[in-house]
Amino acid sequence: MIRDPETLNQLLDSVARFVRERLVPAEQEVAETDEIPPAIVQEMRELGLFGMTIPERFGGLELTMEEECRVLFELCQTAPAFRSIIGTTVGIGSQGILMDGTPEQQAEWLPRLATGEVIASFALTEPEAGSDAASLRTTARLEGDHYIVNGSKRYITNAPHAGMFTLMARTNPADKGAGGVSAFIVDAKSPGISFGKYDVKMGQRGAHTCDVIFDNVRVPAANLIGLKEGQGFKTAMKVLEKGRIHIAAVSVGVARRVLRDALQYAVQRKQFGQPIAEFQLVQALLADSQAELYAAECMVIDAARRRDEGLNVATEASCCKMFATEMVGRVADRAVQILGGAGYMAEYGIERFYRDVRLFRLYEGTTQIQQIIIARNMVREAMR
Ligand SMILES: Cc1cc2nc3c(=O)[nH]c(=O)nc-3n(C[C@H](O)[C@H](O)[C@H](O)COP(=O)(O)OP(=O)(O)OC[C@H]3O[C@@H](n4cnc5c(N)ncnc54)[C@H](O)[C@@H]3O)c2cc1C
């Protein structure tokens, strides 16, 4: 749903200009230093990007899902690490509070998240609980008016920069499954929280993950999201469902950029006395990429519109995440092929995208987990 096309177009134009003039020229520096320049993060704050999904009454832009996807199509035509710094705040880090938090919890945290003053992280995964997130072992034991949290979380995006965590922990040790899990808002400065070293990753330099260790961390009982125990896994799944459409939109944005670069190269590069773009075998690589990109774009917009209409999009969100993240992997692979040896060289940037996009098939539910969700929903529907 697009509320006001003129306002949205102005935002899309500003984001496209920001990407062209500020982010693309900084890509190499980010890849070399593994840091996003603070001035760029500040400009993202000023553009309102940290508040994209937060309601206007808390100082955000309150974008609908379709509007958010259209912004991501523009914002992600550059190194995905730039999106990552806002991604957890607009997505998985803040949405739990928005969806299930009490009015007091929302009023306390959302305004600071919307401005980007506080960066949010989402802490679900553990060393022994990845795809099987419901088996998580981090515990939160009620003692007076505080919960005492113990455990460790793994691969947490933006953890080294986070001001708060949306943390999933087990409040009922007798229930080893999803029903024993609760969600909390945890101030990252709480005593007892420590961080592992930055993970050394395949790609997305500039986006940081690390372990987060909770050692007898006291979390006020008032920070239990929705003030209800046992609801945390449901909150996490709702957050991830929206996140899947978000990551699919990110994949579309990156694919647009990679395909544009590959096309430009194919038109300029000559072999056998003619531009390689005129060879039909190269054209097949371009055409397959264009068709798949278009399909992913249509899927994302359709799923976003359905979600904006209030429909259940559990299956569609997983279809989008699975198809779009696999699509961008194939597009990046073909782009390397189109560039030939240059595709393998750091100087041309395509090999960086090839490594960067590999992540999209892994986090927020691997491709296999999306397949399981889609098929389970299909079978459940058929057996009703
Ligand atoms: C860079 C990065 C950032 C991340 N950021 C965050 C974050 O901010 N917050 C957070 O909580 N987590 C985060 N994660 C964790 C991420 O969500 C998990 O890595 C992911 O869910 C997969 O879990 P796993 O790594 O334990 O793999 P595993 O669950 O061990 O899976 C290994 C393989 O087995 C397959 N598999 C597992 N179960 C099944 C099954 N039932 N059927 C078929 N195949 C199966 C998987 O598809 C995969 O191919 C991040 C991960 C990375 C790499």
Side-chain angles (χ1 to χ4, degrees):
M1 181 203 310
I2 292 174
R3 295 159 308 164
D4 172 7
E6 203 177 317
T7 312
L8 179 66
N9 284 337
Q10 279 171 6
L11 177 64
L12 294 177
D13 285 348
S14 312
V15 172
R17 196 173 334 110
F18 179 58
V19 168
R20 219 172 32 244
E21 293 175 4
R22 294 290 290 134
L23 303 189
V24 172
E27 284 172 3
Q28 197 51 33
E29 180 191 342
V30 170
E32 281 164 16
T33 60
D34 196 20
E35 293 293 339
I36 296 179
I40 285 186
V41 179
Q42 183 54 30
E43 286 171 61
M44 287 176 155
R45 289 193 183 102
E46 285 157 16
L47 272 170
L49 295 179
F50 281 91
M52 272 200 313
T53 53
I54 293 175
E56 285 175 358
R57 66 183 190 283
F58 298 116
L61 299 179
E62 200 170 346
L63 299 187
T64 64
M65 191 79 235
E66 182 180 353
E67 291 168 339
E68 179 184 340
C69 289
R70 292 190 185 279
V71 170
L72 292 167
F73 289 171
E74 296 300 331
L75 179 66
C76 296
Q77 294 183 39
T78 182
F82 291 116
R83 192 276 334 175
S84 187
I85 190 77
I86 64 158
T88 50
T89 300
V90 302
I92 54 181
S94 69
Q95 290 297 306
I97 305 175
L98 192 57
M99 289 173 180
D100 290 335
T102 63
E104 292 74 21
Q105 290 167 347
Q106 294 178 346
E108 185 181 350
W109 290 96
L110 294 179
R112 284 183 290 157
L113 293 173
T115 57
E117 176 195 334
V118 172
I119 288 182
S121 270
F122 178 78
L124 175 66
T125 304
E126 298 180 357
E128 304 301 329
S131 299
D132 183 14
S135 70
L136 63 83
R137 295 176 185 180
T138 296
T139 55
R141 182 172 39 84
L142 188 60
E143 214 178 84
D145 55 2
H146 281 75
Y147 283 88
I148 312 297
V149 176
N150 281 290
S152 52
K153 296 289 175 178
R154 178 138 292 175
Y155 307 148
I156 306 304
T157 302
N158 287 331
H161 315 292
M164 62 79 69
F165 293 99
T166 298
L167 170 81
M168 268 51 68
R170 190 165 301 283
T171 42
N172 180 1
D175 184 339
K176 303 277 183 229
V181 176
S182 301
F184 296 89
I185 302 164
V186 180
D187 189 324
K189 289 190 294 296
S190 309
I193 296 184
S194 58
F195 300 95
K197 284 193 289 198
Y198 284 13
D199 296 315
V200 179
K201 310 194 290 354
M202 177 191 283
Q204 300 215 11
R205 279 171 66 78
H208 304 134
T209 64
C210 70
D211 282 4
V212 186
I213 298 108
F214 297 83
D215 181 11
N216 286 318
V217 176
R218 288 170 63 79
V219 177
N223 286 14
L224 172 67
I225 292 182
L227 301 179
K228 274 197 219 121
E229 284 192 4
Q231 299 297 309
F233 196 74
K234 280 193 197 139
T235 299
M237 292 305 112
K238 278 194 273 182
V239 166
L240 286 174
E241 185 178 298
K242 181 172 192 293
R244 284 169 186 150
I245 304 177
H246 177 104
I247 294 293
V250 170
S251 302
V252 166
V254 182
R256 279 188 185 179
R257 162 65 184 281
V258 171
L259 186 53
R260 192 172 61 229
D261 284 3
L263 175 60
Q264 236 165 40
Y265 185 88
V267 169
Q268 281 160 10
R269 171 76 175 164
K270 288 196 173 129
Q271 285 296 282
F272 301 96
Q274 65 188 89
I276 60 166
E278 289 176 2
F279 296 125
Q280 289 184 340
L281 294 177
V282 172
Q283 290 179 352
L285 297 170
L286 291 168
D288 286 353
S289 298
Q290 180 65 27
E292 289 186 30
L293 170 56
Y294 177 54
E297 237 174 71
C298 293
M299 287 172 82
V300 168
I301 292 299
D302 180 67
R305 284 184 181 154
R306 284 171 190 257
R307 190 177 186 281
D308 286 336
E309 282 168 27
L311 300 174
N312 178 343
V313 290
T315 302
E316 288 79 2
S318 285
C319 288
C320 283
K321 205 265 178 187
M322 178 174 81
F323 185 80
T325 60
E326 295 280 341
M327 174 280 297
V328 71
R330 288 190 295 268
V331 169
D333 185 68
R334 292 187 196 112
V336 172
Q337 201 64 21
I338 290 169
L339 268 77
Y344 201 71
M345 298 298 159
E347 187 190 339
Y348 291 83
I350 289 294
E351 64 81 36
R352 174 166 44 76
F353 280 110
Y354 177 80
R355 288 181 288 108
D356 285 350
V357 302
R358 190 63 186 82
L359 175 59
F360 299 143
R361 287 185 260 169
L362 300 172
Y363 64 4
E364 301 202 21
T366 63
T367 292
Q368 289 71 36
I369 294 303
Q370 307 310 324
Q371 289 173 318
I372 289 170
I373 295 171
I374 296 164
R376 192 177 53 205
N377 291 346
M378 289 169 70
V379 172
R380 189 182 295 150
E381 191 63 27
M383 290 174 73
R384 272 218 309 214

